[in-house]
Every structure is written in C-alpha cells, then in structure tokens.
Amino acid sequence: MSGAHDHAGGGPAGDLSSRVHRLDPRAKIVGLVAVTLVGVSTPIAAWEVWLACGLVLAAVAAAGRVPARVIWVRARVVLPLVILVAAFIPFFRGGEVVASLGPLDVSREGLEVLGSVAAKATIGTVSAVLLGAITSVPAIIRGLETMRVPRLLTLIAAFMYRYLFVIAEELRRMRSALASRAYRPRTALQAAALGRMASALFLRTFSRGERIYLAMLARGYSGRMPRLDPLRLARADAVFVGLILLTLLPLRVIS
Amino acid sequence: MHIPDGFLDGSVAAAMAVPAVAAVGYGVHRAGRTLDDSKIPLLGVTAAFIFAAQMLNFPVAGGTSGHLMGGALAAVLLGPWLACIVMAVVVAGQAFVFADGGITALGANIFNMGVVGALGVGLTMLLARRILPANRTVFLSVAGAGAWASVMLGALLASAQLGASGTVPFATVLPAMLGVHVLIGIGEAVITVAALSAVLATRPDLIDGAGFGPISTTPLTPAAEVAS
C-alpha cells in the first residue's frame, strides 16, 4: 500500500486568468470540499448524486480550461489503491452470486461496494486535483489561514511548500551520486546508505532552516508575514459556492 | 497507506479525526507557549525534508517497494508534540497539493502515519531515558524498534479502519498488510537508525536536551549564530 510518491508536480494549470482561477481561495476550498463531502457521504449506489458531483467537477474544469490530461496524470495516484484494496471486495462479500472465477464467487453486493468505493475515491481525488489546478498552493494556505487554521500550521505549511522542491532536487542529486557509485539495493537491510543520505540531507536542511530565519530577520521579519493585498469575498465567490450547493444538496437530501 | 476518499465509513472517518485533532491541537497549544518564533522555519524545512524523504523508495520482497514514513525520525529529532505538528502538515500537504490521501480521510491518515508514530516513539524515548542507561546503543535500539513498531501500528490501524468501514474484510487484509509492512518496517528502522547515528556522529547537540530535541529548547539568536 506504499506506492512511490512520484508526484507529477502540483501547481495551477489551465487558463490561469479564467473566472474560477480568479475566485477567492476560500470560496474554492469550500466549494470543492463540499463536492467531496456530498459525494463521499452518500450511501451505497447513489449514482445520481455521483453523476451530479461529476458534472459539477467537469463544469469547474471546463470553466478553468484545465486539460483532461492534467487531471488524469495527477489523479491516477489513487488508482493502484482502488485496484489493490477494492479488488478484494467482490470476492469476499456474501449475497447473490453473479459470476464465478475459479473457486471464487463474485457477489452482486460486492460489486456494488466496489463501484461505490471507486466512485467516491474518484470524486474526492478529482476535487482535490481541481482545487490544486485552479488555486496556487500559497493561495490555498492563505485561504486556510483566514479560515482560522492555527497560524503555526499555515506557517509551517508555507515554509514546507517553499523549500520542498529545493530539498527534493537536493535529494535527487544525492541519489544520482549514490547511483553513480553503483548503489543498487536489493533488500530492505541494504537501506542503510539511504539512511546516511537522509541524515546528510537532514543536516543540510537544518542549517538551511537556520540560515532562512537569519535572512528573514535581515529583511525585517517581525513575527508576521507581510500581506500586500487583503483577501476579499466578491459576488462571484458567493455565486460559485451557491451554485455548487444548490446543485448538489437537494439531490443529496432526497437520495 | 494513504487512505483515499470513500474508503472509510463516515463514522470511522469522524472517529479518527477526533484523536488526530486533539493531538495536533494540543501540540499547537503547547508550542504556542514554548516555541521560539525562530524555530518555525526549521519546522517548515523539516516538514519539507520528511515530505521529500518519503520519496526514498527501498525494495521490499517480490518487486514491491516501500518508502520512509518518517514519523519515528521526526519524533526523535523534534520530540513527540512538534513531530505531531510536522507530520500533520506533511500528510495534509500531500492531500491538498498532490491529492495523495483523501481530505475526508485526513484525520485517519494523520493519526495512522503521524500521531501514532510521533507520540509512540517520542514518549517511549522519554520513558527509556528515565529507566535505561543513557548510551548510544540504547538510544539507537529504542529508535529502531520504535520506527518498526510505528509502521506496523500504522498498518494495523489502517486495516482496522478499512475493516470497520466494511470496505475490505479485516481478516483477509490484516495478514496481507502486516506481512508487507514487516519488511517496510525493517527498511524504516534501518534508515532511521542510520540517519540518527550519522546525526549523533556529526551534530550530537541536535539530539540532546530534555527529550525534546533542539527545536523547542535552544533558542537561536543572530548573535549566537555569528559567534559560532
């Protein structure tokens, strides 16, 4: 269950000046998390609700001109899990048998659970991918900050995102240095070299953290990040959230 | 082990969010009293380090691979509560930025991969310092055993949550999950011990202190940095 974290990289995609890209980050967080909540909270086989969630997501993607390829590349992290975990389901549920594969019986109820898990995982993943595609990470963090997430957490998240790619690049260089010295581990016990590499990376990271703080002080940091443009909710933001809720909530209630 | 949206039943997801929010909330509250502002960038780059270190894959039997989780390493370097905070930010970042792990399963993921390892290993370390002789071997053994146990416990919890949600049959998935994670846990332990012994050899000052590591104790001042 521990796949590689070969992340395809986040960051905004599509038409960066589109209407949905320009919305307030809080509206986008609330709107897309609402889609996830509605989709995931349904009972089994609520196909009309999932279809509506899919249509809302497609509309958001179309409005932001986010290419389908980007969504596919970023959302497929969830695929191995659905296949690995959910593939168990049809074989181990009791109930009406609809097919047999050798000694294993496939039950209708199992197929329904598989379908609902796959649909919910898709809705949740695509919502998160779209949020990332129409909102920059600093904007998401800032939105969360104004939504009363503790400042310590948002500050750590901001620094994490700022230095993630720097450190990942450093890690990549260290890995190629190891590879060029013919390091090819075959068992988990040979992972010690990775540990020493991790510690070298940690020590470099640690001294980088110390340098960053000194640089911040040198630029006049006094406990708060300066904000040039205050966040303001506009009518478009209310319309965005309102449309999503109006489309999904009635369906969710009657299903 | 990142559980996606839809794999957990609503009540299970909510039940797991409670301990996760409590632990991280207490950590934030505690840090508000004891944490020096100068340490926030350090926590941020440590989170980035753990995020990046999770890309370190090592081979597990049968062509599969595992990767570092980092909870135990964070717990030893930062102490239990700061490690909780950092792991929570890492797991939430993976969910929000990379859609890795569901937003509705965030509580469970933070609990399994962050809180359990951070508090388990961090508190065991504090206890070990009280009752066992303080030397390198004891320190590294506790860290290694803790790293292995944190992976196993995380896998056990994830299986139990998936089982309780009716997504997978618990009795079938548990042996499979634990079987794979026995080996992933060994990788985690080997990396954690190697990393800590290298830190001990080069910067022992980072691990000293009252079990809370460097970040909450020694305040960094510009003058001290210039002098060093």
Side-chain angles (χ1 to χ4, degrees):
Chain A
M1 245 85 328
S2 282
H5 289 267
D6 288 331
H7 295 301
D15 174 10
L16 301 191
S17 59
S18 83
R19 284 193 167 188
V20 286
H21 280 85
R22 280 185 281 127
L23 290 173
D24 186 287
R26 287 170 290 181
K28 292 188 271 194
I29 294 171
V30 170
L32 287 166
V33 171
V35 175
T36 305
L37 283 179
V38 168
V40 170
S41 69
T42 52
I44 267 178
W47 292 105
E48 66 284 355
V49 180
W50 298 331
L51 188 67
C53 289
L55 288 177
V56 167
L57 293 176
V60 172
R65 295 184 196 285
V66 182
R69 196 181 47 79
V70 171
I71 299 176
W72 160 246
V73 168
R74 294 184 187 180
R76 71 183 170 199
V77 286
V78 79
L79 261 188
L81 280 160
V82 173
I83 292 167
L84 260 172
V85 177
F88 277 111
I89 297 166
F91 303 111
F92 291 97
R93 289 261 161 177
E96 185 196 345
V97 174
V98 289
S100 295
L101 292 173
L104 297 169
D105 290 332
V106 179
S107 73
R108 175 178 300 280
E109 198 210 341
L111 284 179
E112 278 180 353
V113 178
L114 170 61
S116 91
V117 165
K120 290 176 178 183
T122 309
I123 291 169
T125 311
V126 172
S127 301
V129 165
L130 276 179
L131 178 62
I134 61 174
T135 324
S136 73
V137 174
I140 295 178
I141 293 171
R142 204 167 156 203
L144 291 175
E145 192 180 82
T146 36
M147 289 160 81
R148 311 247 166 150
V149 172
R151 194 180 69 100
L152 180 63
L153 295 181
T154 54
L155 270 178
I156 293 175
F159 280 109
M160 177 179 85
Y161 185 69
R162 168 65 185 80
Y163 290 98
L164 177 60
F165 297 100
V166 177
I167 289 168
E169 177 56 25
E170 196 152 5
L171 184 74
R172 201 190 56 75
R173 288 205 307 271
M174 294 169 104
R175 285 214 100 165
S176 38
L178 267 184
S180 72
R181 291 172 180 84
Y183 174 69
R184 274 190 71 192
R186 270 189 234 109
T187 70
L189 282 173
Q190 293 169 334
L194 294 179
R196 286 188 284 275
M197 188 174 103
S199 80
L201 185 65
F202 175 75
L203 293 174
R204 287 184 197 179
T205 303
F206 194 91
S207 52
R208 187 189 293 277
E210 291 175 338
R211 290 200 308 274
I212 291 167
Y213 183 67
L214 295 176
M216 284 162 60
L217 285 185
R219 295 183 179 96
Y221 179 74
S222 57
R224 222 159 244 291
M225 287 294 184
R227 297 291 183 203
L228 295 178
D229 47 334
L231 286 181
R232 238 183 242 115
L233 286 169
R235 194 191 305 166
D237 301 309
V239 170
F240 178 77
V241 176
L243 273 179
I244 289 178
L245 293 182
L246 278 180
T247 317
L248 296 182
L249 280 186
L251 262 176
R252 172 72 188 89
V253 171
I254 57 166
S255 82
Chain B
M1 265 199 299
H2 290 77
I3 302 175
D5 284 312
F7 278 54
L8 292 184
D9 187 60
S11 52
V12 175
M16 295 322 294
V18 172
V21 168
V24 177
Y26 176 72
V28 169
H29 171 73
R30 192 190 153 90
R33 284 185 288 120
T34 57
L35 188 72
D36 184 30
D37 237 20
S38 71
K39 300 304 177 190
I40 292 176
L42 277 178
L43 292 178
V45 290
T46 307
F49 162 77
I50 298 219
F51 205 130
Q54 292 202 352
M55 298 172 194
L56 277 180
N57 286 295
F58 52 83
V60 177
T64 57
S65 71
H67 66 80
L68 189 73
M69 195 165 72
L73 189 58
V76 178
L77 291 170
L78 306 176
W81 298 106
L82 289 178
C84 263
I85 297 175
V86 164
M87 292 306 290
V89 173
V90 169
V91 174
Q94 286 164 341
F96 271 100
V97 182
F98 295 109
D100 198 359
I103 288 180
T104 53
L106 203 51
N109 283 332
I110 288 179
F111 189 73
N112 299 346
M113 291 186 285
V115 172
V116 167
L119 294 192
V121 177
L123 296 176
T124 312
M125 207 49 142
L126 287 182
L127 190 69
R129 281 178 194 212
R130 291 246 177 91
I131 57 174
L132 294 173
N135 62 43
R136 204 181 128 86
T137 319
V138 168
F139 172 78
L140 290 178
S141 326
V142 172
W148 184 80
S150 70
V151 170
M152 293 303 278
L153 211 52
L156 173 72
L157 283 166
S159 316
Q161 290 151 10
L162 291 172
S165 306
T167 310
V168 286
F170 180 65
T172 321
V173 89
L174 185 69
M177 281 285 274
L178 290 187
V180 172
H181 284 86
V182 163
L183 296 169
I184 294 181
I186 291 176
E188 176 96 13
V190 170
I191 294 184
T192 304
V193 167
L196 288 175
S197 60
V199 173
L200 269 184
T202 44
R203 288 284 302 269
D205 56 306
L206 295 187
I207 303 183
D208 272 338
F212 287 95
I215 285 189
S216 56
T217 50
T218 49
L220 173 82
T221 59
E225 179 65 18
V226 170
S228 67

